[in-house]
Amino acid sequence: MKGAHLTTEQIEAGLPEVLASPQDRGSLEAIVIRPRVDERELRQAARLSPEAGLEGDRWLGSSDGLLLPDGRPDPRAQVSLMNARILRLIAVDEERIALAGDNLVVDLDLGAANLPVGQKLSVGEVLLEITDVPHTGCAKFTERFGRDAVQFVNAPERSSLHLRGRYARVLEAGTIRVGDVVVKGVH
């Protein structure tokens, strides 16, 4: 089913599984590095730091991301997270999950009620903080997963669920590995 796009009804049918995501302790399911525009690399481990974000990712040198008035990349958007359950649902094929472009694919409830702005997350050795930068699907997301998917994840009635994902900044450097526990708060 490579390239197949789900209908709104098919996505809606999978929503209960997405909403059953863990709230306090989840897992890191995938690490995605974006070395250049439209390139994705799945990694088993990666290093993150407050200065560089996710090592090897183009965030630091990107001019197409969120920028501060002085032209530097916005540290509030260093790392993007997406819920593994919704991503697997709309990707249809496991091999397509990296196409979303989110750095950390996690099995964790990313909704505002569970992770308010300022909430800290421990992933491996790393400490992240959820930021207020909105994360919405773009034209590439629509092309890769379909119009129904982008409309579903961005629908106003579901906006507080943050189905398209969340941005975070790195507070404490370290290494993360696929399979690491993702803990709300500091562990």
Side-chain angles (χ1 to χ4, degrees), residues 1-2 21 51 75 101 143 147 149 151 176:
M1 293 191 69
K2 188 173 184 171
S21 298
E51 301 77 29
E143 177 186 318
R147 182 171 307 287
Q151 288 175 345
I176 58 172

Side-chain angles (χ1 to χ4, degrees), residues 44-75:
Q44 288 300 304
R47 180 150 177 78
L48 288 91
S49 71
E51 301 77 29
L54 183 61
E55 226 173 70
D57 189 69
R58 66 188 174 94
W59 169 79
L60 191 58
S62 178
S63 62
D64 64 342
L66 299 166
L67 302 176
L68 297 172
D70 65 4
R72 290 180 299 130
D74 189 336

Side-chain angles (χ1 to χ4, degrees), residues 41-128:
E41 294 176 9
L42 286 167
R43 300 257 178 101
Q44 288 300 304
R47 180 150 177 78
L48 288 91
S49 71
E51 301 77 29
L54 183 61
E55 226 173 70
D57 189 69
R58 66 188 174 94
W59 169 79
L60 191 58
S62 178
S63 62
D64 64 342
L66 299 166
L67 302 176
L68 297 172
D70 65 4
R72 290 180 299 130
D74 189 336
R76 298 173 307 150
Q78 282 181 316
V79 179
S80 59
L81 297 93
M82 189 165 180
N83 177 285
R85 296 177 189 215
I86 187 71
L87 183 51
R88 285 188 172 117
L89 175 64
I90 64 173
V92 179
D93 183 339
E94 185 75 18
E95 291 180 10
R96 299 181 71 236
I97 65 168
L99 292 177
D102 292 281
N103 304 122
L104 308 182
V105 178
V106 298
D107 189 18
L108 188 74
D109 176 359
L110 298 178
N114 190 49
L115 297 180
V117 171
Q119 177 68 57
K120 297 194 177 40
L121 288 177
S122 296
V123 184
E125 301 171 349
V126 174
L127 183 63
L128 302 174

Side-chain angles (χ1 to χ4, degrees), residues 24-28 81 106-108 121-124 180-184:
D24 296 323
R25 267 179 92 81
S27 62
L28 178 60
L81 297 93
V106 298
D107 189 18
L108 188 74
L121 288 177
S122 296
V123 184
D180 277 350
V181 175
V182 179
V183 179
K184 188 167 79 171

